[in-house]
Structure formats: C-alpha cells, structure tokens
Amino acid sequence: MRLSVIGTGYLGATHAAAMAELGHDVVGIDVDETKVARLAAGEVPFYEPGLPELLGKHVTSGRLTFGTSIAAAADAELHFVCVGTPQKPGEFAADLQYVDAAFAALADIAAPGTVAVGKSTVPVGTASRVAALLRARGVELVWNPEFLREGFAVEDTLRPDRIVIGADAEEPRRVLERCYEPIVAAGTPVVHTDFPTAELVKVAANSFLATKISFINAMAEICEVVGADVVKLAEAIGHDERIGHKFLRAGLGFGGGCLPKDIRAFMARAGELGVDQAVAFLKNVDDINLRRRARMVDLARETLDGSLAGRRAGILGAAFKPDSDDIRDSPALDVAYAIQRAGAAVWVYDPEAMGNAKETHPTLAYAPTALEACRDADIVLHLTEWPEFRVLHPDDLAAVVRSKNIIDGRNVLDPEQWRAAGWHFRALGRP
Ligand code: NAD
C-alpha cells in the first residue's frame, strides 16, 4: 500500500520504517526541516536500538522517503498522524495544536475515499471531532493508539501485544487491518472499539503503569521510615501472580514524554467531563513520583552532613530511562539540576542523552565517561539504569572520587558489593 506518516519523531519515524519493513511504500512528513534532512539521509535523529538499520535499509531501497511538504502525501491511501501532544505550558491539559494542524493540513490534500489513522495520544473526544472534519472531505478516520516503548520501539511496532482499532465504520477498519496484515497474521490480538474507547485504552494503560510504579514508591517511603527494604518487599509481593514483578521496581520513578503528561492530561480531561473524582488518585500518583526526586536530593544532602554547597556530585544518567536519549521530564536531569541549585558542582555522564541534555540544561557540566563525571566527586548519584553503570566496579570508581559516597536511585546496584569495597552506600527505600 502507499502510506504517509505525518510527524516523524520517536513514534512516527519508527512507524514509518516498520511499515516499509511490512512491504509498504511510505512517505514521512515533518515540519522540522533538520529532522527530515537527517531521516532522508538514512540517519535516525535520536537513539533507538535497531532503528538505524531498519530505516537505512528502506531509505536505500527507495521504499521509504521523507519530506517537509504535506503535498507529498497526496497520493497515499492511508495516512498515519503521529505528531506530538505535549503538556500545555502552565496547565495539565494536552496541547492539541499539532494534532489539529496536522489533520487540517491532511484534510486539504487527502483524496476522497482514503483513510486517516490517528496514533497520537489524545484526550477522549478528539477523534469524533476530527472525524467530522475529515468526513466533510470524504476521508474516513480510525483511531489506533500506539503502545511502543522507547528502547524497544522497533520490536513493539512489528510485534505488538495488541492492536486497538477504534472506528465508527467498517470499511476504514478493514483498510487498516490490510495494512497490518503480516502482524495480524502472526496472531496479534486485534481489539475493535469505538472512538472514545480507543482513546481511553491508551491513557488507561499509562495510568495503570504509573500507578503501579507510584504504589511501590509509596511503599518505599514507608520503608525509609521504619528501616524496611522495599526491594525485598517488591520481590515478595511480586511472586503473587495477581501482582507480578513488572513495573514494581522502586526507585526514582517515571518520566519521559508519555507517562507524566498523559496522566496529567487525563486528569484535565476528566475535569472537563465532570468526572474528575474518578481519576483524582492520579494526582497522588504524580505527587508520589515527584517526591522521589526530592527525596533523592535530601538523601544526598544527608549523606554530605547537611549541605551540598561547595561539594561536587558525579551524576550517572540523564535520559529518562536506559536505551533512550529522551530527556523529556527526565527524573535524572531534574535531580541533577536540583543538586546544582543546592550549591554543588554537578558533572553528568550519559551514554546517549548528553547532546539533548546540553541543550535543555546548559548550566550543568558534562563529562565524556562515567569515571570522568565522578572524578573528585564527594558523592555519586546513579539515576538512569544503563547497563554500563551496573557493571561499574566499586574499586575503579574509588580510584577517582574524593569520597566514597554513592546513592543508587534505581535499586539495581548490589549494596553488599559496594559496602564491601568501603563505600557509604544508600538507596531509595532501603536501609
Ligand atoms: P516527538 O515530539 O518525538 O515527535 C512529534 C513530531 O511531530 C515532531 O518531529 C514534530 O516536528 C512533528 N510535527 C508537529 N507538528 C507537525 C505537523 N503539523 N506536521 C508534521 N509534523 C509535525 O513525539 P513522539 O514521542 O513521537 O510522540 C508523538 C505522539 O505519540 C504523542 O502523542 C505521544 O504521546 C505518542 N506516543 C509516543 C510514544 C513514545 O514512546 N515516544 C509511545 C506511544 C505514543
């Protein structure tokens, strides 16, 4: 099929390359000229394992092209809209200006009888509004929320857990299923819904995941007061199949371009709909999550006898999670910045996210390696659980720091090993 993908960020670039892999001819459209130039040259403008190979393969074969003009999408029979829906400045609601602009531009050029597919995460009610606009031009809409995880984006797109297709007519639904035919044929469950259910599935899933993380982090707060160990607690309750181990790791909490803004947008939309009480608990989920960042700073201050002023901190991690260079609402950078504001000199190292971090946090200092970031440090903070930090040897780090203080914000380092090497080791939610 001939497809267009409008908005080629983390979601759209991955989707475009994956659709080419399924055998389709794909044109990716974005308003960001620099991004388009890099993608057209076969270069992925962000870090995503496996994507450079897939994108390069299909740019070379000619099956995947990119452009800045929406006119290039005019002869596509299926149009995926993957533009961003960030949090509005100063409020919880989602900013729909990019979604509205993309669908308006599409309505102008899409041929009657073609189908538009909404993939962005939007407040419930958006799809019905967009469908009316498109239908006036003879274009049908389906809503097909995306569940990919950064770091596993290619795998999640080609082999998703499920496909959700929200529609109010049968024909456009069939067109999308035809596009996904190899994925469906592999046995992927397809859930057919109406528009509002499809929109809600996405925010409900993210709300559940955020709640699970904040639940175990709330337990960590209690553990810290009574001297209990949240890692053992999570291990024990996770053995119950009804609870499970996944997303039950206490630590610095969630961040990124999805979970925080999605739960906030959900609260805002529920308020507009007069059902804010139903998701009032999400405010607690958000607050618990943000309190972990503050706790990390307090723990650092405690470790350095009550003051960070004039001290030096080595920060391991800037991305909101490993295997990504995404720093949107990153807990690691939030903590690094707070430590600096408390008067410390802050040196940051991240394997992939330093380019992005330097743009948004230019006042922090950046080092080319983990050991360099920790040179002469009074304290080391482990804030993003990249595999290379897990295998850092306590003796190697001891050789460069000024004082052997480390706080594990992700609960993946082995306290026994670090303490045996003479380190003062602290972690969130552990004695
Ligand atoms: P992103 O910021 O990386 O990409 C959005 C892209 O849209 C940008 O490149 C931007 O230039 C482009 N854009 C904006 N307006 C445009 C227009 N009118 N025409 C063409 N391009 C335009 O964002 P993202 O992380 O890819 O997220 C996109 C959407 O997907 C969001 O709604 C997000 O919540 C959702 N989502 C993201 C992920 C993820 O892991 N990143 C997962 C699932 C869902």
Side-chain angles (χ1 to χ4, degrees):
M1 297 169 76
R2 292 189 62 79
L3 314 179
S4 80
V5 174
I6 297 155
T8 56
Y10 286 91
L11 163 59
T14 309
H15 195 72
M19 292 304 103
E21 178 71 6
L22 294 187
H24 303 300
D25 282 319
V26 186
V27 57
I29 310 286
D30 202 289
V31 290
D32 182 334
E33 284 176 19
T34 315
K35 196 175 276 187
V36 165
R38 292 179 69 180
L39 289 165
E43 194 192 319
V44 179
F46 51 88
Y47 179 76
E48 181 60 49
L51 186 56
E53 294 78 3
L54 198 69
L55 185 105
K57 177 178 161 192
H58 294 298
V59 167
T60 305
S61 73
R63 208 185 276 165
L64 178 56
T65 56
F66 291 92
T68 51
S69 167
I70 188 87
D75 63 350
E77 53 197 298
L78 194 54
H79 306 274
F80 291 94
V81 173
C82 301
V83 298
T85 47
Q87 188 176 337
K88 267 188 195 166
E91 48 182 298
F92 272 12
D95 186 346
L96 290 180
Q97 65 168 306
Y98 308 103
V99 166
D100 288 338
F103 278 109
L106 186 59
D108 283 342
I109 59 100
T114 59
V115 175
V117 185
K119 290 197 75 66
S120 303
T121 303
V122 292
V124 59
T126 307
S128 302
R129 181 166 62 74
V130 169
L133 165 88
L134 292 172
R135 199 160 277 158
R137 309 291 182 103
V139 176
E140 290 292 325
L141 178 73
V142 295
W143 210 268
N144 169 226
E146 177 58 53
F147 303 95
L148 69 79
R149 297 161 299 166
E150 287 174 21
F152 305 90
V154 172
E155 177 67 18
D156 286 350
T157 307
L158 289 171
R159 278 167 285 279
D161 294 334
R162 76 299 211 185
I163 294 171
V164 176
I165 303 179
D168 62 0
E170 197 45 39
E171 182 51 27
R173 206 192 289 272
R174 266 196 227 110
V175 176
L176 183 60
E177 278 200 7
R178 187 152 58 81
C179 171
Y180 288 155
E181 199 276 328
I183 302 176
V184 177
T188 308
V190 181
V191 183
H192 291 289
T193 73
D194 48 32
F195 285 139
T197 307
E199 294 167 312
L200 280 174
V201 167
K202 176 63 192 175
V203 285
N206 276 357
S207 297
F208 187 86
L209 295 172
T211 303
K212 203 170 174 193
I213 297 171
S214 279
F215 172 81
I216 200 63
N217 281 335
M219 297 304 106
E221 287 190 18
I222 312 274
C223 286
E224 280 156 13
V225 172
V226 299
D229 186 340
V230 74
V231 174
K232 285 286 163 196
L233 183 145
E235 182 190 336
I237 65 173
H239 282 304
D240 184 331
E241 279 180 7
R242 294 168 302 175
I243 296 173
H245 291 291
K246 286 188 177 158
F247 269 61
L248 207 62
R249 175 119 48 76
L252 197 49
F254 57 83
C258 289
L259 254 51
K261 62 117 174 135
D262 287 352
I263 62 170
R264 291 172 197 153
F266 197 11
M267 282 185 266
R269 184 66 183 133
E272 287 168 3
L273 296 166
V275 281
D276 39 331
Q277 279 192 339
V279 290
F281 69 95
L282 290 176
K283 182 71 176 74
N284 282 328
V285 167
D286 199 11
D287 289 345
I288 292 165
N289 191 54
L290 295 176
R291 277 206 299 274
R292 291 288 77 190
R293 303 178 189 186
R295 172 67 185 148
M296 190 74 195
V297 178
D298 287 345
L299 208 49
R301 194 181 283 113
E302 259 171 46
T303 305
L304 296 180
D305 301 324
S307 175
L308 287 159
R311 312 306 283 273
R312 183 165 167 148
I315 303 282
L316 302 179
F320 87 98
K321 68 170 188 177
D323 286 319
S324 174
D325 66 354
D326 196 344
I327 52 149
R328 290 177 287 186
D329 206 342
S330 164
L333 278 179
D334 225 9
V335 168
Y337 194 51
I339 298 266
Q340 186 190 44
R341 279 202 314 272
V346 175
W347 285 78
V348 179
Y349 167 72
D350 187 284
E352 297 293 340
M354 293 210 290
N356 287 339
K358 281 176 190 169
E359 278 180 25
T360 56
H361 292 71
T363 62
L364 300 174
Y366 295 89
T369 64
L371 289 182
E372 280 307 314
C374 297
R375 187 168 296 283
D376 297 328
D378 297 294
I379 191 161
V380 174
L381 305 181
H382 175 234
L383 303 182
T384 310
E385 67 272 37
W386 284 94
E388 73 167 80
F389 299 150
R390 266 180 224 206
V391 298
L392 269 179
H393 199 282
D395 292 340
D396 293 339
L397 214 55
V400 297
V401 298
R402 186 179 301 149
S403 305
K404 291 197 274 181
N405 294 310
I406 186 163
I407 307 181
D408 183 7
R410 293 298 177 181
N411 281 323
V412 292
L413 304 179
D414 177 4
E416 305 293 317
Q417 188 198 11
W418 287 81
R419 287 185 180 133
W423 284 76
H424 178 69
F425 181 97
R426 302 288 304 267
L428 292 173
R430 308 192 80 177

